[in-house]
Amino acid sequence: MEKLSYSNALKRAFSVLKSQNKFPEDAQYLMEELSGFNYTQLQLHRNDEVPHDIMRKFRDGLMRLGMDEPVQYILGYAYFMNRNFSVNENVLIPRNDTEEMVQQIIDEHPKKNLSICDIGTGSGIIAITLGIEFPEDNILATDISKGALQVARLNADNYQTNNVFFKQSDLFKNIESQKFDLVVSNPPYIAEDEKKDMDPSVIKFEPDLALYGKDNGLEFYENITQQIDNYLSDDGILYMEFGFRQKNAIKAIFRDNLPNYVVEFHKDISGNYRYLKAKKEM
């Protein structure tokens, strides 16, 4: 195998990815993660020879990037709120929008032990983050996907969140009758006819089950709002993420299904409405 410096290895990678109309930044991120160097450290070591094992993994990763595989799946992990979580093709890659919703939940957390339900937990990022932040809370995390729950359990074991429990369930179907202080969900909300507009890496690799919803992506908001009253305590709170074009449609769903609820819509850092907070009018 040809020996290359970090600088030359990255220059070649950038050239290859540009010729394939891919993102050179992914090669930079891949090298930083494989080497353990941040951007500044890579500049300082740019003339150093890339160790054989790192170069082998980098070349393998570069080929996979060329086939549109997300860099997080290549590495086997992604970051959420500065923590490292295992990911694979059974779960979505964590997004910054979800971090903003979870940060609000943390900021507004009452000073008491809560019972929490995370619907559609995926890799478990929401449930496990809340479990770490609030070890006295009891958290039930559900997902319809057995593969997703395997990833979530792996992440829970990694962080030893003994207060997070998992159950395979289609929404509330397998949840015993009980009341939660907080229900949170990042459900599939992309309309099926929007699939053609998605990034190739999303279409090819991220799970359809966690991405797309029927009825213009609104199916799960209809279903959850029709059932949530049976599972939320009188002073309980519902948090849900949604697509940036869906605010008005979701507002109408709450008006029809939960007219006695007060709903707040919150913007993300880009100024788009991306998640909501709902609770019963007292």
Side-chain angles (χ1 to χ4, degrees):
M1 182 182 291
E2 184 183 4
K3 295 180 179 180
L4 293 173
S5 67
Y6 283 104
S7 177
N8 288 335
L10 283 170
K11 283 179 184 175
R12 288 194 183 185
F14 293 164
S15 177
V16 169
L17 291 177
K18 283 180 181 177
S19 71
Q20 299 171 333
N21 292 318
K22 311 301 181 189
F23 298 106
E25 306 83 37
D26 287 342
Q28 178 78 31
Y29 180 71
L30 181 64
M31 183 63 89
E32 288 174 11
E33 291 297 313
L34 291 175
S35 66
F37 293 144
N38 61 29
Y39 179 82
T40 302
Q41 290 168 330
L42 264 183
Q43 300 307 307
L44 293 172
H45 291 271
R46 61 185 178 275
N47 295 322
D48 293 0
E49 182 183 306
V50 183
H52 176 80
D53 60 327
I54 292 176
M55 195 67 215
R56 179 176 51 80
K57 292 176 183 177
F58 184 67
R59 285 181 168 165
D60 174 66
L62 196 60
M63 285 192 297
R64 293 165 69 178
L65 287 172
M67 294 184 285
D68 295 313
E69 186 170 356
V71 65
Q72 293 89 346
Y73 289 162
I74 295 170
L75 292 166
Y77 61 85
Y79 292 99
F80 183 78
M81 300 190 78
N82 298 316
R83 293 187 179 97
N84 182 311
F85 289 87
S86 294
V87 294
N88 62 26
E89 292 174 32
N90 290 305
V91 298
L92 290 185
I93 296 165
R95 263 70 170 186
N96 290 339
D97 304 309
T98 309
E99 290 191 358
E100 294 176 40
M101 179 176 70
V102 173
Q103 186 61 57
Q104 179 163 338
I105 294 172
I106 292 170
D107 292 343
E108 297 180 349
H109 190 280
K111 295 186 183 302
K112 62 175 183 176
N113 299 346
L114 297 187
S115 60
I116 298 174
C117 184
D118 175 20
I119 300 292
T121 195
S123 59
I125 54 171
I126 295 176
I128 293 166
T129 298
L130 294 176
I132 295 169
E133 295 287 336
F134 306 108
E136 301 305 314
D137 287 359
N138 283 310
I139 302 169
L140 175 64
T142 74
D143 205 289
I144 193 173
S145 166
K146 188 175 182 179
L149 288 173
Q150 289 175 339
V151 176
R153 288 189 175 101
L154 178 65
N155 285 319
D157 288 345
N158 185 46
Y159 285 105
Q160 297 183 330
T161 46
N162 299 322
N163 57 331
V164 180
F165 307 92
F166 297 96
K167 181 182 275 288
Q168 188 172 5
S169 180
D170 182 0
L171 299 184
F172 297 102
K173 189 174 182 180
N174 294 333
I175 299 177
E176 297 174 10
S177 180
Q178 58 185 297
K179 298 285 188 177
F180 296 96
D181 300 303
L182 194 155
V183 175
V184 58
S185 183
N186 179 16
Y189 55 72
I190 299 171
E192 291 174 328
D193 63 2
E194 291 180 329
K195 186 172 184 176
K196 63 184 184 300
D197 301 321
M198 303 294 291
D199 188 274
S201 65
V202 177
I203 295 171
K204 291 181 182 180
F205 290 95
E206 297 200 59
D208 286 3
L209 196 62
L211 287 168
Y212 305 105
K214 296 177 182 176
D215 301 326
N216 293 317
L218 300 171
E219 171 190 16
F220 293 96
Y221 302 94
E222 283 280 4
N223 291 340
I224 288 174
T225 54
Q226 288 170 10
Q227 301 176 66
I228 190 67
D229 236 13
N230 298 321
Y231 295 92
L232 201 60
S233 63
D234 287 340
D235 59 349
I237 302 173
L238 169 66
Y239 290 90
M240 297 183 78
E241 191 173 328
F242 57 85
F244 69 95
R245 295 189 184 100
Q246 293 176 320
K247 178 195 170 188
N248 290 338
I250 290 174
K251 189 174 183 179
I253 288 171
F254 272 84
R255 184 185 63 233
D256 294 341
N257 295 345
L258 295 168
N260 61 328
Y261 273 62
V262 177
V263 186
E264 298 175 3
F265 291 92
H266 294 270
K267 293 180 179 179
D268 63 15
I269 197 168
S270 301
N272 297 311
Y273 285 103
R274 289 305 310 275
Y275 65 96
L276 64 85
K277 173 187 177 183
K279 61 186 300 185
K280 291 179 187 176
E281 205 165 18
M282 301 303 287

